[in-house]
Amino acid sequence: MTNRKIYTLSLLFLFIGLLSFKSYAQGPSPLKKYTISGKVLDDELNVPLEYATVAVQNTNDPSKVDGTVTNIDGEFEITVQEGTYTITVEFISYESKVFKNRNVNSDLNLGTILLGLGSENLDEVVVRAETTQVDVRLDKKIYNIGKDLTTAGGTVSDALNNVPSVTVDIEGGISLRGNENVRILINGKPSAMAGFGSTDVLSQLPAEAIERVEVITSPSARYDAEGTAGIINIILRKKETLGFNGSLTINGGNPANAGINANFNYRTDKYNLFTTTGYRYRESPGEAFFDTRYFDTREDTFLDGLKYDRNVEDRDYDRINRGFNTNLGIEYYLNDQSSITGALFYRLGDDEDLTTNVNDYFLDGNRVLGTTRLENQVEEDNSWQFSINYVNKFDNKGHELTTDFQIERDKEEQEAFIREPINFNATNVGEIFIPRERTLTTEDQKEYLLQADYVRPIGEDSQFEAGYRGNFENEVTDYSLLQEDRNSNFILNRNQTNIFDYDENVHAWYTQYGTKFGEFSFLLGLRAEHTQLKGDIDSELTQEELREEFSFDITTNFDNKYFGLFPTLNVIYEIAEEENITFGYNRRINRPRGWYINPFPSRSSRNNIFQGNPNLQPAYSNSFDIGYLKRWEKLTLTSSVYYQRETDAFQRVQEEIDIQIANPDFPEQGPETIPQTVIRSIPFNLATNDRMGGELGVLYNPAEWLRLNGSFNYFRFKLDGEFNGDSYNTENTSWFARFSSKVTLPLKIDWQTNAFYRGPSDEIQGTQDGILSIDLALSKEILNEKATIALNVSDILNGRKRSSYTNTEFFEQDSEFQWRQGQAVNVSFIYRFNQKKQRQQRRNDDDYDEGEF
């Protein structure tokens, strides 16, 4: 055999050996792999069901289970080995579809799978669409506003007034369990939509923009420590339904009231565009009455020495409010695990008010002087907010990082012209000259927010969370007061004119840990906040002149820093699937806002002023809350008892002081300024405030055509404080209750009645009477349920009046105030695009609940 043949045979055997070795190493041939695919749709609406789950279980080995979820088009595809499988398709609130013992030996296409709404869930879904629902979490209660007829065509303030535990007073002030120190958040963050701490803007935003309201009476460490009463978090709608959808609302009424609002959304598999845009015109007539009786005869230098012992003021308010607002945003899906959202909010307000204040002065029961003070005020308000949010989900089990950046700007310009002609004069002082006045106010506010939150689940029943939030706010108030002399020249009153530059900077860090074992769930957290309150007063007055002008020591340039630790603890004990007990503890802070610190007075009238106090220190509170929830088939019961102790609580004190005003006779007859005695309302860190109370809420749906909702809140507070040697100790017990019923009449007409009553209360310097308000509404679906027409009448008994009695060592006063006079009638037309059924929406669209334990 030649060498070449030997070499060839050797290569051949080597090649055969390698093939044999490879075959031996690989073992038996693997099973072939095939795909199972299909598309899931709603059987009635014929729309895709995104995030429906598809489970595939091996019939021969049940431990082998695989699965997937449908995409935005309702489609799914999963790869499996050859074999026999049971395939289950599920979606929340829908009947499941099961394909048993399917032999997969080639690609299997199940085609279009139609899911119908489960019969056991029909009542639940109808209820969620029609009435307010409550859901209890470790640190809050969530109220889905539902289809509230009395707020159709209304505002966010109107909607909040129907949420248990929350009250909106006649001036738009929001309270939680009777406590006004509540923090308002939009989508979990401070926002220009909430008016930089003011609640005025909430009376302009449409109620249709709300998805749900979170009442957070025991906030976890995730939330701001600001607000001793707690937090109200307003979650705005952001539809996730595929394609284009939205709604258009047109409303009008009496007193003159008209508005249009559009809420549109367009979503693809890569991005989601959303906008809410509206314009509102509203006339709001109001009235007030003040009868002040002085214990000693007063002599008014400003009124040429007029002597009187009683002053009666009868005011009428004629307000015209015009407002435009728009919120435009886009959410871009970077991949399946992360997205970035940018949004721009803009608001323009153009208001015009006329206040007519008829003043009568009496001495020994005789009318000695009558004047009519007319104040014309115009105000323009421009605000905008840009925000950007990034979410990165490391997995589908809750491990994620979110970051936020927000910048806001608000500029408000206000000009008022005041004149006070004399219409009756029976004095012996001859002609009385009351000069005209002009006030110019410019407020410029800027706010920046930086935030990062990290959530890491630990196993199936525990979770760790940490984050940082920085709020940086600057407010500059430029106020000028000009007063007329006898030669019709307007002279600058340097005692009142000033520029107040105010900064509030807060750095906050938090961490919290939640876990569950057995029937108990715990959420323990700690928040650290560093606060800087910084102010600079630019005034022509010296430090000594300021002290004389305002009757207390003030600092024209201050820089106060505070550091606080705020622990939180929330516990739920699950007695049964629909029954639980909750416990919450938290420590919180109440920081004085800019207008509470600005020492230069605002003038509601020539005789009454409000003045801030730059010496105010923050107030702190410790709160405890125990709650109970029980659900039956048609009834939901919620209840709680609570206690709070607040130290250095802010309280307003009324007292008489002399302020300096321009002398109309200067320089011919007398000094540049002359004193005027006024009643000043000013806040102090006056007292320790102990608050305790209990609340009960019932949601009852006895029949498909009848739904009832009621709540009752009883509270008591005890103040312990002293000011200028006078005791301000007082105890007060009060309560409020609300009731709502919704009845479906023939022809599918819905009728809703809302009633609210707040009981009388004792104040630190007087008493306040109870307030009763009743609203009615009718609604009917039209155009094949694509549109709704609604009629509502608010305050049908004209009872939303605040009547009070004040008693001090200098005077006693009866007063009555009504922000909006008489009944209001409103008609609304709402047209919906691609929103016929509530269940079209993604069931797990809970964008602002990410990271919750």
Side-chain angles (χ1 to χ4, degrees), residues 192-244:
M193 295 184 184
F196 289 94
S198 169
T199 58
D200 295 342
V201 68
L202 299 181
S203 63
Q204 299 179 21
L205 293 177
E208 287 79 11
I210 297 179
E211 175 71 23
R212 64 183 184 271
V213 176
E214 298 178 346
V215 178
I216 310 174
T217 53
S218 183
S220 68
R222 176 190 303 132
Y223 296 100
D224 285 341
E226 173 75 23
T228 56
I231 295 172
I232 297 175
N233 187 22
I234 300 170
I235 304 298
L236 302 182
R237 295 185 187 276
K238 188 178 67 172
K239 301 293 184 184
E240 294 286 346
T241 309
L242 179 67
F244 174 74

Side-chain angles (χ1 to χ4, degrees), residues 450-619:
L450 292 171
Q451 182 173 333
D453 298 279
Y454 175 75
V455 180
R456 179 63 185 265
I458 303 173
E460 294 185 359
D461 296 325
S462 300
Q463 180 172 289
F464 170 79
E465 186 175 346
Y468 164 80
R469 175 181 288 178
N471 276 86
F472 313 98
E473 181 180 350
N474 172 257
E475 177 182 348
V476 179
T477 303
D478 189 342
Y479 175 79
S480 300
L481 171 63
L482 297 96
Q483 294 175 303
E484 182 187 25
D485 64 12
R486 290 186 182 273
N487 297 319
S488 299
N489 299 315
F490 282 88
I491 303 172
L492 183 70
N493 184 337
R494 73 184 191 94
N495 291 66
Q496 306 296 322
T497 298
N498 69 96
I499 299 176
F500 183 52
D501 191 340
Y502 174 71
D503 290 283
E504 178 178 309
N505 302 317
V506 181
H507 295 272
W509 304 264
Y510 80 91
T511 183
Q512 61 184 20
Y513 175 77
T515 187
K516 179 179 181 180
F517 57 89
E519 306 302 328
F520 285 92
S521 297
F522 295 87
L523 187 60
L524 177 65
L526 179 65
R527 189 177 186 92
E529 292 193 352
H530 179 272
T531 303
Q532 180 188 39
L533 303 181
K534 184 179 180 181
D536 182 41
I537 303 171
D538 185 1
S539 168
E540 294 186 22
L541 300 183
T542 66
Q543 187 79 31
E544 184 62 32
E545 288 175 323
L546 284 170
R547 184 180 299 110
E548 293 178 358
E549 175 72 10
F550 301 130
S551 304
F552 65 94
D553 291 335
I554 68 171
T555 303
T556 56
N557 191 311
F558 59 88
D559 187 355
N560 300 326
K561 297 181 176 67
Y562 315 96
F563 179 81
L565 294 176
F566 303 94
T568 63
L569 173 63
N570 291 283
V571 182
I572 284 185
Y573 173 63
E574 298 286 346
I575 301 174
E577 183 177 354
E578 300 293 344
E579 185 178 13
N580 62 56
I581 295 175
T582 60
F583 169 80
Y585 162 76
N586 63 86
R587 182 174 188 258
R588 302 189 62 75
I589 185 174
N590 181 13
R591 302 181 185 93
R593 305 293 297 179
W595 74 287
Y596 248 47
I597 292 180
N598 189 348
F600 286 87
S602 62
R603 298 158 64 90
S604 59
S605 73
R606 194 163 47 78
N607 301 313
N608 296 273
I609 65 171
F610 173 82
Q611 182 180 353
N613 180 2
N615 300 322
L616 277 182
Q617 301 295 307

Side-chain angles (χ1 to χ4, degrees), residues 5 115 126 150 362 460 502 522 544 558 645 698 780:
K5 290 181 178 179
L115 298 187
V126 170
T150 60
F362 296 85
E460 294 185 359
Y502 174 71
F522 295 87
E544 184 62 32
F558 59 88
R645 183 175 180 84
V698 176
K780 179 171 175 56

Side-chain angles (χ1 to χ4, degrees), residues 698-742:
V698 176
L699 299 171
Y700 183 43
N701 302 285
E704 185 178 348
W705 56 270
L706 177 62
R707 289 168 288 277
L708 305 174
N709 185 349
S711 64
F712 176 80
N713 195 304
Y714 172 89
F715 57 90
R716 175 178 178 269
F717 69 81
K718 179 182 179 182
L719 289 175
D720 184 8
E722 184 178 291
F723 177 72
N724 285 345
D726 295 325
S727 173
Y728 285 85
N729 296 346
T730 186
E731 295 186 25
N732 177 27
T733 299
S734 189
W735 57 277
F736 63 86
R738 57 166 46 88
F739 172 78
S740 174
S741 68
K742 188 174 180 183

